Structure formats: C-alpha cells, structure tokens
Amino acid sequence: MLVANKPSIIRSIIICGGILLDQLDRRLLNLIQEEFPLVARPYQEIGCRLGLSEDEVIRKIRKMKTDGIIRRLGGVFELRQLGYTSTLCALKVPPGRLEEVAAVVNSFPGVTHNYLREHDYNMWFTLIGPDRRHLENVIRAIKERTGITELLELPAERPFKIRVNFDLEAED
C-alpha cells in the first residue's frame, strides 16, 4: 500500500535550489505570480483561495524569501508610461574588485538588475531614472567612485516585454 502511494507523493513535491516545495507551496507561488489580489488584505485573500490563514500565507512567503526561493515580491510597472527612462550598462571590472564595485553600483537607488557575465565586460546592470540627465549623472558617479571608465551603455531602441512566469504545478 505505501509503495503504491509513493509515486504520487514524489510527484507532488519538487526540489527548488535544494528546498522541498509541496503542492501547496507550488500553488501559492503560481498564485502570487499570476493573480496577486489588489485588495486591502491580499494575504488573507490568498489564504482563502488556498485554505490557509493570512498568517500562514505570510509565514510561507517569508520562509520562501529566507530560503532564496522568492527574491522579490512587488509590482512591475511600465516605466515609460510613468515618465521614466532606463538603460542597460556593462562594466569591465577586474575580478578582484567585483564585490567592491557591485556594492558601489548597488548603492544607487535606480539600479535594478545587477549580474555577472562571462565576458570582458563582466558586470551588467540596468539603471532607471526620471530623465536622461539623471542617468548620465549616475553613470558619471559610478565611474568616479569605482575608478572604472570602461563602461558600455546600451539603451533599448525598442522595448520588448517578455512575460516570465514559472508554472510550478505543471506535470513533468
């Protein structure tokens, strides 16, 4: 009897970064990606949909953040509609200075994604600001504070939005 149940138990759990996620965790992750409720108490609403209390939902989300499953939970806005502009930047950082330079780059509020790539220009980040002059000032400040002048700026010529959601309930 236990052997017959094992395959369904195994299918209902996935491993994400070494962390076990049960079916309820997977449903919660799908829900907050696709249908986050815009109400006064969203975690209570999510709990109602999943058969959990508001506190249980908050605890589960907090644990997934601590475990590194969830990096960030927040809105995604169309920055051009809000009057903002952005650019992609690439820096040529000596390997021994990566952490130091990342700390400088990340200290600016308009820096969003900052990641390493295997390339001469190995640190890439996006920068968002209210106007072009603001972006230029931040880029100048990054160069001055790091002493690195080899920075490529690659502004988007046309916006492309790719929706990236991970369906964690799909069967293998």
Side-chain angles (χ1 to χ4, degrees):
M1 184 81 152
L2 289 175
V3 174
N5 289 336
K6 269 191 175 182
S8 64
I9 292 170
I10 291 171
R11 275 196 306 271
S12 71
I13 295 176
I14 61 171
I15 298 174
C16 186
I19 308 295
L20 293 176
L21 296 176
D22 63 21
Q23 187 67 29
L24 188 57
D25 292 332
R26 292 161 60 183
R27 285 181 57 211
L28 172 59
L29 288 170
N30 277 349
L31 184 61
I32 62 177
Q33 287 183 94
E34 290 284 331
E35 303 173 40
F36 195 88
L38 299 177
V39 297
R41 300 195 57 189
Y43 301 110
Q44 182 179 58
E45 174 66 27
I46 291 168
C48 287
R49 293 184 195 184
L50 297 176
L52 299 171
S53 72
E54 181 179 34
D55 287 339
E56 289 171 312
V57 171
I58 292 169
R59 257 194 313 279
K60 281 183 160 298
I61 290 173
R62 187 173 289 138
K63 179 170 181 356
M64 285 190 254
K65 280 189 79 170
T66 300
D67 289 344
I69 303 296
I70 297 173
R71 180 181 64 197
R72 178 182 172 277
L73 184 60
V76 178
F77 302 96
E78 182 54 58
L79 66 103
R80 284 172 187 80
Q81 294 293 327
L82 295 171
Y84 281 74
T85 188
S86 69
T87 191
L88 174 65
C89 296
L91 272 172
K92 192 183 279 190
V93 181
R97 296 190 58 205
L98 290 169
E99 285 187 35
E100 167 207 343
V101 173
V104 171
V105 170
N106 292 342
S107 72
F108 291 91
V111 171
T112 59
H113 306 75
N114 185 355
Y115 52 94
L116 298 177
R117 296 188 73 170
E118 290 184 26
H119 189 271
D120 288 341
Y121 286 87
N122 52 353
M123 184 175 293
W124 292 62
F125 60 93
T126 54
L127 177 60
I128 298 172
D131 55 41
R132 181 76 200 136
R133 186 172 60 219
H134 176 83
L135 299 182
E136 291 167 358
N137 290 337
V138 171
I139 290 168
R140 185 173 24 270
I142 288 171
K143 288 178 178 180
E144 289 171 3
R145 288 180 52 190
T146 63
I148 297 173
T149 58
E150 294 181 273
L151 183 146
L152 297 177
E153 188 182 350
L154 307 161
E157 292 179 6
R158 287 191 338 233
F160 291 92
K161 292 295 179 187
I162 301 171
R163 186 172 171 202
V164 179
N165 286 14
F166 302 97
D167 185 357
L168 298 170
E169 293 182 271
E171 290 295 323
D172 298 326

